[in-house]
Amino acid sequence: MDPTTDNAGPTGDPDRARAALEALRAEIAKAVVGQDPAVTGLVVALLCRGHVLLEGVPGVAKTLLVRALAAALELDTKRVQFTPDLMPSDITGSLVYDARTAEFSFQPGPVFTHLLLADEINRTPPKTQSSLLEAMEERQVTVDGTPRPLPDPFLVAATQNPVEYEGTYPLPEAQLDRFLLKLTIPLPDRQQEIDVLTRHAEGFNPRDLHAAGVRPVATAADLDAARAAVAKTTVSPDITAYVVDICRATRESPSLTLGVSPRGATALLAASRAWAWLTGRDYVIPDDVKALALPTLRHRVQLRPEAEMEGVTADSVINAILTHVPVPR
């Protein structure tokens, strides 16, 4: 599949598309143990044309998760290891002089793919981080004044380590706000870790997903059909008001210096619609909003230093808001 071309097919059967996307969990489970919430979050992001920030300590299969998703969806994927010396052109591409034609030609960078894995994104300076802003928001890259469209679907899955801060550059709020979801990848429980070691003892090779039995179970056409169905998912005025009330409550929280912007409210509504459709409904209920509130909002708020010192977290603030904001009937 050529990642530089638009592979969108005709709109298909939404029921078939839902079944195909649900099959992703079982397919990815052949390579990754016990990360169903993260798999669901990545699928929601694809349905919403959003991007995902994956946070977890090293060794919890963040990279393997994205590679397995790409294999199960038959999408092209590229990985960029973000380092302090990485330049913007190393991501977007650059003009290269061709001595034979005496002209400059554009050499696409790794961003021209379907699933871009930005590994340890906070290890590169803001100048290089910002090179992704246009790609994430406009789905194009401008080099030498010429805009070049990115393939569809296009998703940035960026990883960062939550416990190591030496030599890192915190993501600016403008870039954080462009991630639809922030998913935390937890350590496996005891039985899951036993399952991981058992697989490795039996010869599992994380670099060879084909040998692990991961096969394409959904296509870009399925994704197109799913997106069209999500766009038709009904949102009542009460649900819209509920989303707005939750986001406005973050701006009034005494524990926060920065609340959720209108873009965050739009993201929560979009993610809730995708989740409602994935669960088999064509309308959104308050439980859909609650289910997506943490991953959609946790990276869009900023704690006050004194609250952080007292052990308050973004998740605890959002959970408290969900408890106090009246739920529509």
Side-chain angles (χ1 to χ4, degrees):
M1 185 179 296
D2 183 0
T4 62
T5 60
D6 188 346
N7 60 6
T11 302
D13 179 9
D15 291 333
R16 179 193 181 282
R18 183 187 289 113
L21 293 178
E22 287 176 349
L24 284 174
R25 297 181 185 179
E27 203 64 23
I28 294 173
K30 296 177 181 177
V32 181
V33 176
Q35 296 293 358
D36 278 356
V39 173
T40 301
L42 286 166
V43 173
V44 166
L46 281 169
L47 291 175
C48 298
R49 290 184 167 86
H51 308 284
V52 175
L53 184 62
L54 300 170
E55 186 173 270
V57 298
V60 291
K62 298 187 293 293
T63 300
L64 181 60
L65 176 63
V66 176
R67 289 180 54 239
L69 175 68
L73 276 171
E74 203 174 13
L75 297 176
D76 184 75
T77 182
K78 291 179 183 174
R79 175 182 176 273
V80 178
Q81 180 65 51
F82 279 65
T83 57
D85 60 348
L86 196 71
M87 299 296 292
S89 59
D90 295 329
I91 301 170
T92 61
S94 59
L95 295 176
V96 178
Y97 182 72
D98 188 340
R100 293 173 299 178
T101 62
E103 293 180 349
F104 286 92
S105 61
F106 179 65
Q107 183 65 37
V111 74
F112 287 87
T113 187
H114 293 124
L115 270 66
L116 177 67
L117 177 60
D119 214 356
E120 295 186 294
I121 190 173
N122 56 338
R123 286 200 172 279
T124 200
K127 178 181 179 180
T128 305
Q129 290 178 11
S130 65
S131 67
L132 279 175
L133 292 179
E134 181 187 13
M136 294 171 69
E137 187 70 16
E138 307 296 334
R139 300 185 182 270
Q140 67 178 23
V141 168
T142 301
V143 177
D144 196 33
T146 302
R148 293 174 169 84
L150 295 171
D152 183 39
F154 172 69
L155 179 143
V156 174
T159 72
Q160 65 177 15
N161 183 347
V163 296
E164 189 175 0
Y165 297 104
E166 186 175 351
T168 62
Y169 303 84
L171 298 182
E173 283 75 15
Q175 185 163 358
L176 282 172
D177 207 32
R178 280 170 169 77
F179 286 100
L180 178 76
L181 305 175
K182 179 182 178 182
L183 304 175
T184 56
I185 311 297
L187 288 165
D189 60 32
R190 182 176 182 274
Q191 185 55 52
Q192 289 172 343
E193 197 163 1
I194 290 173
D195 292 343
V196 170
L197 268 62
T198 300
R199 290 187 181 190
H200 281 266
E202 292 173 349
F204 171 70
N205 182 0
R207 296 171 185 82
D208 189 353
L209 295 178
H210 189 271
V214 179
R215 301 288 187 270
V217 295
T219 66
D222 291 325
L223 195 55
D224 285 340
R227 286 172 170 175
V230 169
K232 296 177 183 177
T233 302
T234 303
V235 181
S236 70
D238 287 344
I239 292 296
T240 303
Y242 183 50
V243 170
V244 168
D245 289 343
I246 290 171
C247 294
R248 291 182 67 85
T250 65
R251 303 168 202 164
E252 300 167 0
S253 171
S255 299
L256 301 177
T257 59
L258 179 68
V260 176
S261 69
R263 177 190 286 166
T266 302
L268 178 55
L269 184 61
S272 301
R273 292 177 83 184
W275 174 243
W277 180 82
L278 277 173
T279 54
R281 279 178 282 101
D282 61 358
Y283 56 92
V284 180
I285 61 175
D287 284 348
D288 299 325
V289 178
K290 291 181 179 180
L292 272 298
L294 283 180
T296 309
L297 304 182
R298 58 164 58 110
H299 57 295
R300 304 175 192 271
V301 300
Q302 195 171 81
L303 288 168
R304 293 188 181 278
E306 54 270 29
E308 201 166 2
M309 291 177 63
E310 293 173 359
V312 176
T313 65
D315 284 14
S316 65
V317 172
I318 295 169
N319 279 325
I321 288 172
L322 291 175
T323 301
H324 290 98
V325 172
V327 179
R329 297 185 177 274

